[in-house]
Each structure stands twice: as structure tokens, then as C-alpha cells.
Amino acid sequence: MHKVAPAIEGACTIPLLHLADATADAVVRDGVATVGLLGTAFTMEQDFYRGRLENHGLTVLVPDAPSRADVHRVIYDELCHGVVREGSRRRFVEVIHELVRRGAQGIILGCIEIELLISPDDAEGPGVPLYPTTTIHAHAAVEAALAATEDRS
């Protein structure tokens, strides 16, 4: 849905809390400069999300084409249907480890369903944080709402 964010921002007078902005803020706050991005093919391949992260000064790595296809397939054919397979978890861990080998200092879980499959223990080593975007977005929304409430008091 964030693909249409620019049109929404242009049509509304209230601010849009963009998922990629909230995620980038969390990543930058942690001092991470290079991230691996997992999500649907659209999220990994198109500029609407990656470009927004890059606008925050981040280097964004995505899996190679066969790995992107595997990630996309697992999200749509399994996780969206509530199917969680150990083989798929192992494949995601392989993809994460490859991104880390290529220089990712953190991994963005750019689709809520990925959190059904991957946990912080699955990242390579304790120094490779996972960034679950839906959780980050929800926390940012609460912070924005509380700040707006404080501004009115």
C-alpha cells in the first residue's frame, strides 16, 4: 500500500506516517548503515520502498533473483495462508546469512508475515538486528499520537 504513498501525501493535509520512514529512523537510530531487505518481490525490487530507505542515507541490499523468488513465493503461497514450514524457515535463514555476508548490518522484515517464520535468533550472530516493519510502524504511530496529544495540552 505504501506504493501509493506520494499520491496520498499530496491529497491529504494530515501527515502520513510512511512505513519506510519509520523503519529507516529505527535503523539509523541503531547506527546501522547497510541493511538487507526482505519482503514481497514488489517491496524488494521496486523503488517505492527501497528508494525511501536510501533517501535516509541507508545502503539497501536485496537477495539475488532466485532468492527473491523464494522469499516472494513463501510469503504468498505459505505465510499468507497461515502455513509455516521448517524448510522455508531454513531457506529464509540462508538468505539472511547471504545478505550478512554481503555486508548487511541489519535485516528489514518488510512484510508482517515474515515475523511468523523468522525470529531474532535466526539472524547471523547477536550483532545483526532484525527490523520488523509492522511492529516499528505501530510503535511510531503510538509515539506520533502521544506527541500530538502533548502538543495540544
Side-chain angles (χ1 to χ4, degrees):
M1 293 308 301
H2 281 77
K3 187 173 183 171
V4 297
I8 294 169
E9 289 172 319
C12 294
T13 58
I14 60 172
L16 173 74
L17 182 58
H18 196 287
L19 185 66
D21 294 338
T23 302
D25 289 345
V27 170
V28 169
R29 203 171 29 249
D30 284 353
V32 170
T34 302
V35 292
L37 175 61
L38 299 178
T40 66
F42 313 107
T43 300
M44 293 184 287
E45 295 170 0
Q46 295 180 10
D47 195 48
F48 72 94
Y49 195 92
R50 281 181 27 202
R52 194 111 176 190
L53 292 169
E54 291 166 349
N55 287 342
H56 287 269
L58 296 172
T59 299
V60 181
L61 306 176
V62 296
D64 62 21
S67 297
R68 288 193 312 270
D70 287 344
V71 168
H72 183 84
R73 181 193 55 76
V74 168
I75 290 168
Y76 276 108
D77 294 348
E78 297 175 20
L79 299 177
C80 284
H81 299 282
V83 176
V84 178
R85 293 192 171 115
E86 179 58 26
S88 296
R89 188 192 70 75
R90 283 192 305 270
R91 180 65 179 119
F92 266 63
V93 169
E94 289 172 3
V95 172
I96 289 170
H97 288 187
E98 178 57 29
L99 289 167
V100 170
R101 279 191 289 279
R102 289 177 43 211
Q105 301 163 312
I107 304 294
I108 294 175
L109 306 181
C111 182
I112 190 170
E113 288 85 3
I114 298 173
E115 293 180 60
L116 298 170
L117 192 64
I118 297 299
S119 72
D121 294 337
D122 295 317
E124 188 169 341
V128 181
L130 297 179
Y131 294 94
T133 57
T134 304
T135 301
I136 291 167
H137 199 214
H139 285 134
V142 169
E143 289 173 14
L146 291 173
T149 302
E150 289 176 5
D151 290 345
R152 286 186 265 196
S153 3

